[in-house]
Amino acid sequence: MSSRIFWIIVWLFLSCQSLYAEGTDLYSFDNPLQAERFHQLTKSFRCVVCQNQSLADSNAPLAQDLREKIYQLVGADKSDQEIELFLVERYGDYVLFKPRFTSKTIVLWLFPLGGILIAFWMVFRFFIRPYFNPSF
Amino acid sequence: MTQRINLIVVLILVALFSLLSYELWFSEPTKRESSLIGRPMPTFQLPNLYAPEEILTEKNFKGDTILINVWATWCTACRMEHQQLMEIKRSGIPIYSINYKDDPQSAIDWLKSNGNPYRLTAMDRSGDVIIDFGVYGTPETFVVHRGQIVYRHIGVITPKDWQDTLRPLIIELRRSS
C-alpha cells in the first residue's frame, strides 16, 4: 500500500514537470542554439510600453507581438545585429537595455570611469598625502 | 582651498538635485519621439476593411498632408478620440487608418454607428505593420507630409492637442509647401 502511494507521488511529480515544460516552450526552434539566442535577445530589449521590463518578462500585447517578431527573425537566421537594428529603427535606442556607444551616450558610458578617477584623486589628496605630510 | 572644495561639492549637489527634480516632475516618459520622424512612411500591404480582397499599400494613402490613425474597437481610448477625428474630417484634412488586431465586422459596425472619419481603413490583424510604424499602442496618430513621417502623437487626440499642436503643425506644413 505504502509503495503504491509512493509511486502515485512520483507520478504526480513527473506530471507536474511535463506541464511546466509545456508552459515555457511556446516557441519551437530548429536547434537549441536558436532557442538560446531567442531567450538572450528577448531579455536584452526593453518592453517600450512598460517601464523597466524586458520583452521576455512582459505580458503586454506589444511585447507579445515583438517576441513573435523576434522569433520569426531568429527562425529566418537573422544575426543579432540585424535584429537589434530592426528594433532600433522602429522603436529607437530606448528599446535597448544596453545603450550603444555613440556621441549621445558617451557621457553615460564615461561618467562612471570619471567618477572612479575623481574618487581615487580625493582619497589620495585628503587621506594619503596628509598622512605622509602631516604639516599640510 | 577648502572653501573652493566646498563650493565644488555644493555645485555638484545642486546639479544632481535639479536633474532629479526635473526627472521627477517635468519629464514625460510616455512621450517619445518616434525614430521614424523624417523618414518615409513604411511600406505595407494590408486588406481594405470594406473590401478584404483589395490590398491597400502606402500609395493608397494619398494626399499632401495626411493623418494616419491606428485604432481598434476594443480600445476604449479610441472611443474617446472618435468625436475629435470626426471634427478633423470636417475641417478637410484627410485621415486614413490602420485598424489593429480587430474583428472586421465589429470595426464596420462601429464606424456605421459612430460615423466614419477615415478615407480608407487598412486591416492589420497580425500586428506586423504596426511594428514597422513603431507603434506603442492604440490610439496613435502620425502626421505624414508628402510620404514622410513628420510627427507622431501617442494616445488620444484631445481638442487641446488638436488646437495647440496638430492643427498648427499641419497649417505650417501646408504653407511651407
Side-chain angles (χ1 to χ4, degrees), chain A residues 49 51 65 89-92, chain B residues 35 39 100-101 131-132 135:
Chain A
V49 291
Q51 297 204 359
D65 289 356
E89 272 182 346
R90 286 156 181 79
Y91 289 94
Chain B
S35 52
R39 289 206 279 153
Y100 172 56
K101 284 201 169 173
I131 293 177
D132 288 341
V135 164

Side-chain angles (χ1 to χ4, degrees), chain A residues 48-49 51 61-62 65-66 69 72 86-92 94 121-122 125-126 136, chain B residues 1 5 29-30 32 34-36 39 100-101 126-128 130-137:
Chain A
V48 288
V49 291
Q51 297 204 359
L62 180 66
D65 289 356
L66 287 175
K69 198 79 207 177
Q72 288 167 11
F86 177 90
L87 285 163
V88 169
E89 272 182 346
R90 286 156 181 79
Y91 289 94
Y94 181 63
W121 175 79
M122 283 175 116
R125 176 70 180 71
F126 296 106
F136 173 73
Chain B
M1 184 67 200
I5 295 276
T30 54
R32 294 193 186 283
S34 165
S35 52
L36 270 76
R39 289 206 279 153
Y100 172 56
K101 284 201 169 173
S126 66
D128 266 9
I130 290 309
I131 293 177
D132 288 341
F133 273 84
V135 164
Y136 282 34

Side-chain angles (χ1 to χ4, degrees), chain A residues 38-114:
Chain A
F38 175 76
H39 289 301
Q40 290 303 327
L41 281 166
T42 49
K43 264 190 260 171
S44 75
F45 296 116
R46 187 194 305 271
C47 161
V48 288
V49 291
C50 14
Q51 297 204 359
N52 291 329
Q53 263 190 321
S54 73
L55 286 182
D57 297 332
S58 172
N59 278 321
L62 180 66
Q64 288 169 16
D65 289 356
L66 287 175
R67 277 203 297 271
E68 177 65 33
K69 198 79 207 177
I70 291 169
Y71 171 69
Q72 288 167 11
L73 292 172
V74 167
D77 272 329
K78 299 279 183 211
S79 72
D80 289 3
Q81 285 78 19
E82 283 172 309
I83 295 172
E84 187 181 302
L85 187 68
F86 177 90
L87 285 163
V88 169
E89 272 182 346
R90 286 156 181 79
Y91 289 94
D93 283 335
Y94 181 63
V95 79
L96 302 171
F97 267 128
K98 188 177 167 190
R100 293 182 297 181
F101 195 86
T102 62
S103 55
K104 265 188 195 167
T105 59
I106 194 158
V107 175
L108 188 69
W109 280 103
L110 295 185
F111 189 77
L113 190 71

